Amino acid sequence: QPQNLPLAASSSRRRVPGERASLASIAESQPSPPAPAPAVPTAAPAANPNASLLDNAEQAENTLLTLLGKDTDSLISYRGGPAKELVAYAHRWLKLVGEEFRDEVTEGLLKRPRGIECTISVLGPVKDSSRGAQWLTVKIKENKSEDEEAAPDPTAMHMLWLSAEFGVVFYISGYQPDRRGDKFRAITFDAEALRHGRAVPPRDLPRVKARCVEIASASTTLQRVHALCSIGKLDPVLAAALTSPEAAPAAAHSPWAPLDEKSLLPSVQKQLSRLNPGQRAALCGLDGAVTVVQGPPGTGKSSFITAACLSRVPAGSRILACTATNKAIDSLVAKLEAAGLTQMLCVGSRRAMGEASCRYLMSSVLARDGFVAAAETAIEQHSANVRRIEAELRELPVPDAALLKAGGGKSGGGGGGG
């Protein structure tokens, strides 16, 4: 792998929500402190307190319905003497996560979906389900297009599927292996009502196989909700950085390069000149090993990240940029490219990524590499020579079997006489 390349990692799932997953994921990734977690989810907890929402079908269904119903404050409460600043922080982001997810679902229903396709058959109700969950069989349509960079074939889990023919949306929340065929657990919605913001069950369910198309994925949304509801387990230093930056301890040594605009290339200076006061203040404020910069949608996070990469990252460093959507990574790549940075490598599915990102997939980068191109040309020439020699051999006349036998006899006699 080429050295010193910024690595842009993109989600392989299409249309996963959000550009702020990294902020919430900080909470999920931290070890639990000795003190009890101050903030707890109000929904019924999973058997394993550290398990993700993705591992508990009923809890995932309840959370999804809460997000669609706009009552995101109920996902985390002030019970147990939690730090109010952390809970208030979680409430703000849960509201934004919910808004973003609802917008994604609505957009998927209003526009003509172009996601993954499958066929769904309803088997019957799930016993003791409080949400009217159903057992299904799901067969995902195979994608015959070759895509070496693509992730493995997707599962149906935690995706929303639309059957336009029957006007039903399925949210698949669980999976159960079965000798007669794997079963999936799902709750259902009336598509027309959901399009208008009401999460209600359909009047009827399909009695035959229903052709469906993916309209949204809830995986990232549920992971972010789980992280935010576990914010009480956050390391105190990170908690201070999130809620009161002025109280966070200063780093002994800043890993960031000083901002010296006069020494920057003209293209980078031009990029910095476009920053607004808030973006510039954040850029100048980068000084710790962990820095959180918060910005709702449309506030110029991609422009800020581009400026930070070009002006504050020390020379020779490698950058890893992760986003929750292919659209976000494509925007970042396009801005970095426009500023003159072309040593990048993107990871993801070609069929799901944007035009700018596709130019920096591994196959695209190797195609532009002179050494690799020369090697491929040499291999092709060698293969052509092999094919030519094989064709010439096929054109040679086949010797008569009798002559071969006679020749072999004389040769043997002569050898014996000698």
Side-chain angles (χ1 to χ4, degrees):
Q1 182 174 333
Q3 296 299 310
N4 299 324
L5 294 187
L7 177 63
S10 169
S11 171
S12 60
R13 183 74 63 204
R14 299 184 64 220
R15 295 194 306 274
V16 293
E19 292 183 16
R20 299 177 298 278
S22 59
L23 300 180
S25 299
I26 293 173
E28 186 174 14
S29 63
Q30 297 302 311
S32 302
V40 294
T42 56
N48 179 358
N50 295 318
S52 168
L53 283 173
L54 303 182
D55 301 325
N56 187 305
E58 187 171 359
Q59 195 175 9
E61 293 165 0
N62 292 338
T63 302
L64 187 96
L65 287 165
T66 301
L67 292 170
L68 293 174
K70 305 180 183 181
D71 184 24
T72 54
D73 281 359
S74 64
L75 291 170
I76 183 171
S77 72
Y78 291 94
R79 290 186 291 113
K84 292 185 177 181
E85 296 81 3
L86 285 177
V87 177
Y89 171 88
H91 280 168
R92 290 197 303 272
W93 282 101
L94 285 169
K95 181 180 179 181
L96 291 171
V97 169
E99 289 175 354
E100 197 168 48
F101 180 66
R102 291 192 297 274
D103 287 345
E104 181 192 3
V105 173
T106 302
E107 182 181 2
L109 289 168
L110 290 175
K111 294 185 177 181
R112 185 176 182 180
R114 296 183 180 179
I116 304 165
E117 298 179 6
C118 74
T119 55
I120 289 178
S121 299
V122 179
L123 301 178
V126 175
K127 186 178 179 181
D128 299 329
S129 168
S130 61
R131 299 293 186 180
Q134 301 286 324
W135 288 117
L136 317 172
T137 60
V138 180
K139 183 175 178 58
I140 296 180
K141 182 179 178 182
E142 295 182 2
N143 193 327
K144 297 182 180 180
S145 62
E146 295 185 1
D147 187 353
E148 295 180 354
E149 284 99 355
D153 291 339
T155 66
M157 289 291 294
H158 299 292
M159 298 173 71
L160 278 77
W161 302 88
L162 168 66
S163 170
E165 179 183 0
F166 296 98
V168 176
V169 173
F170 299 88
Y171 163 60
I172 299 181
S173 58
Y175 164 80
Q176 180 176 304
D178 191 279
R179 289 180 299 175
R180 295 168 294 179
D182 297 338
K183 298 192 301 183
F184 292 85
R185 171 176 171 149
I187 55 175
T188 55
F189 303 96
D190 181 276
E192 185 62 26
L194 194 60
R195 188 178 289 115
H196 292 89
R198 294 183 294 112
V200 298
R203 293 183 179 179
D204 299 298
L205 293 173
R207 299 183 180 181
V208 296
K209 288 184 178 180
R211 296 179 58 186
C212 301
V213 62
E214 171 221 355
I215 59 170
S217 169
S219 295
T220 302
T221 297
L222 292 176
Q223 288 170 343
R224 295 166 69 189
V225 169
H226 176 74
L228 287 164
C229 290
S230 304
I231 199 169
K233 303 176 183 179
L234 196 62
D235 180 272
V237 174
L238 291 179
L242 286 173
T243 57
S244 52
E246 64 281 355
H253 173 70
S254 175
W256 299 93
L259 182 59
D260 184 6
E261 296 190 38
K262 294 182 180 179
S263 64
L264 299 175
L265 296 173
S267 58
V268 179
Q269 293 179 2
K270 184 177 181 181
Q271 185 75 27
L272 265 59
S273 67
R274 298 172 180 169
L275 299 179
N276 60 39
Q279 292 169 320
R280 179 169 285 274
L283 183 66
C284 296
L286 295 174
D287 60 358
V290 177
T291 303
V292 179
V293 178
Q294 303 181 90
T299 54
K301 292 186 295 297
S302 295
S303 298
F304 164 76
I305 294 171
T306 302
C309 291
L310 296 172
S311 65
R312 296 298 313 272
V313 174
S317 300
R318 178 176 293 183
I319 302 166
L320 174 64
C322 302
T323 73
T325 63
N326 290 298
K327 181 179 179 181
I329 206 65
D330 199 61
S331 173
L332 178 58
V333 169
K335 285 181 170 65
L336 288 169
E337 185 182 49
L341 183 60
T342 57
Q343 284 191 302
M344 292 182 282
L345 182 65
C346 291
V347 180
S349 169
R350 182 179 291 274
R351 64 174 175 264
M353 298 177 74
E355 182 180 352
S357 302
C358 285
R359 288 196 290 270
Y360 295 94
L361 288 168
M362 177 64 81
S363 58
S364 302
V365 171
L366 292 178
R368 295 192 296 270
D369 187 276
F371 180 82
V372 175
E376 289 181 342
T377 300
I379 291 172
E380 181 57 36
Q381 290 175 349
H382 175 74
S383 300
N385 290 335
V386 171
R387 291 192 296 270
R388 177 179 55 79
I389 294 171
E390 289 176 343
E392 291 177 358
L393 289 173
R394 287 193 295 270
E395 294 296 325
L396 293 176
V398 178
D400 191 312
L403 292 175
L404 286 173
K405 184 176 180 181
K410 288 181 180 179
S411 176

